[in-house]
Amino acid sequence: MNKVWVRLSLIFLFSMGFSANAQQHTHGQGQLLISQDGTEWHMQLILPAADSLGFEHVPETQAQKNKIESLAKKLQENAAVIEVDGRCALIKAAHSLVNQHGDELHKNHEHDNEQDHHDIEVEYQFSCKDAITQVYVKIFETMPSLNAIELQWLLENSQGMLTLTRSHPYIEW
């Protein structure tokens, strides 16, 4: 019964995150959703493209295409994004930057409206042999315009919300 409750809660938490993300887009502010199911940890990071890349439009120059390619590699490898303590292995990483041309980032969007805003989403799944007591968000170090990340978590023994900042980029449980 406990596993069923955890899975239903995870579905609810992530659907709330997607809903909030669809309604709110603030430059300088991202979102991080963390959930735990036994030894499996799932993390979804949502960042404004303007803070991640410096632009929100289809890349127009080779330099912009290179930024997308570089960020995609960084997100996939996770070394400069999120650090978890304990003996954890990254078992899955996926992001919304499909290729160096940004096709996924701008798929099905009209570009005539200068008010269009785009986010970059990245999901990580970790398998941990030890309990995680801290998550450190390292992405602040490489994104100078990112000022805050709204964190929501749902663990087997706690849940809550917290704002991570450049001066306080971690949570401890």
Side-chain angles (χ1 to χ4, degrees):
M1 181 65 176
N2 190 25
K3 290 266 188 193
V4 172
W5 180 86
V6 169
R7 290 184 194 281
L8 289 174
S9 297
L10 295 177
I11 291 169
F12 176 74
L13 175 67
F14 287 116
S15 68
M16 291 298 291
F18 287 123
S19 174
N21 185 46
Q23 296 173 7
Q24 177 184 349
H25 175 94
T26 305
H27 291 185
Q29 183 173 320
Q31 295 177 314
L32 176 59
L33 307 171
I34 299 176
S35 65
Q36 175 196 13
D37 185 9
T39 61
E40 302 295 315
W41 288 70
H42 184 266
M43 300 181 191
Q44 179 186 26
L45 183 62
I46 304 164
L47 301 166
D51 297 305
S52 304
L53 297 167
F55 59 91
E56 293 185 296
H57 54 77
V58 174
E60 299 167 348
T61 65
Q62 187 59 46
Q64 290 175 339
K65 291 176 185 178
N66 292 346
K67 278 187 175 183
I68 290 174
E69 188 174 313
S70 175
L71 180 60
K73 184 177 179 180
K74 182 186 299 184
L75 295 175
Q76 192 68 34
E77 293 173 354
N78 183 46
V81 183
I82 294 175
E83 182 178 291
V84 295
D85 69 344
R87 293 184 303 154
C88 296
L90 179 63
I91 56 175
K92 179 182 174 188
H95 54 77
S96 61
L97 294 172
V98 172
N99 62 39
Q100 66 180 357
H101 305 293
D103 294 339
E104 182 66 23
L105 179 63
H106 301 285
K107 183 172 74 175
N108 299 324
H109 293 287
E110 293 294 325
H111 297 290
D112 296 333
N113 182 355
E114 293 203 19
Q115 297 299 320
D116 281 347
H117 297 287
H118 301 282
D119 291 326
I120 295 170
E121 297 182 23
V122 60
E123 293 186 39
Y124 297 111
Q125 187 173 354
F126 294 91
S127 178
C128 301
K129 295 183 183 207
D130 297 333
I132 292 178
T133 58
Q134 183 184 64
V135 173
Y136 177 76
V137 179
K138 298 173 73 174
I139 200 79
F140 285 109
E141 298 169 11
T142 59
M143 294 184 182
S145 64
L146 185 63
N147 299 314
I149 294 178
E150 298 298 322
L151 168 64
Q152 295 179 43
W153 70 90
L154 179 61
L155 310 180
E156 291 181 342
N157 59 0
S158 72
Q159 61 185 2
M161 296 175 63
L162 176 71
T163 300
L164 302 176
T165 63
R166 185 171 300 288
S167 62
H168 189 80
Y170 61 90
I171 181 165
E172 294 179 306
W173 291 286

